[in-house]
Amino acid sequence: AINNQHTHENHHQDDVVGSREASRMVGLAMSTLEKRRRTGDGPPFIRLSTRKTGYRLSDLQAWLAERARTPVA
């Protein structure tokens, strides 16, 4: 996680994680996450610097929840 010493189990909703951890959490390759960031189809992100992107955990969780589908019998 960026700017904190928490392990994954101790994250808080407003913690910010980097692209690598975000891609692992949502199950997408970093390159796919980057493409979705450019097209606007990915989770909300924070531009931390010219070369560093972050994601709030709450945004990642909400983005995943929006994509949850109920199986059809």
Side-chain angles (χ1 to χ4, degrees):
I2 299 170
N3 294 333
N4 67 38
Q5 299 299 315
H6 299 298
T7 62
H8 177 65
E9 293 78 26
N10 293 327
H11 280 316
H12 300 308
Q13 291 287 358
D14 290 328
D15 280 353
V16 175
V17 296
S19 295
R20 179 168 283 124
E21 187 166 357
S23 71
R24 185 184 59 75
M25 292 175 74
V26 300
L28 295 174
M30 283 184 59
S31 59
T32 303
L33 189 61
E34 181 181 335
K35 285 178 196 171
R36 291 191 176 200
R37 199 167 52 234
R38 286 195 307 263
T39 62
D41 190 37
F45 63 93
I46 303 166
R47 179 65 63 197
L48 299 170
S49 71
T50 56
R51 299 182 63 183
K52 191 79 166 169
T53 301
Y55 296 85
R56 281 191 191 94
L57 289 180
S58 56
D59 289 338
L60 293 174
Q61 292 165 345
W63 187 78
L64 286 172
E66 289 172 3
R67 280 148 187 77
R69 301 285 185 259
T70 303
V72 180

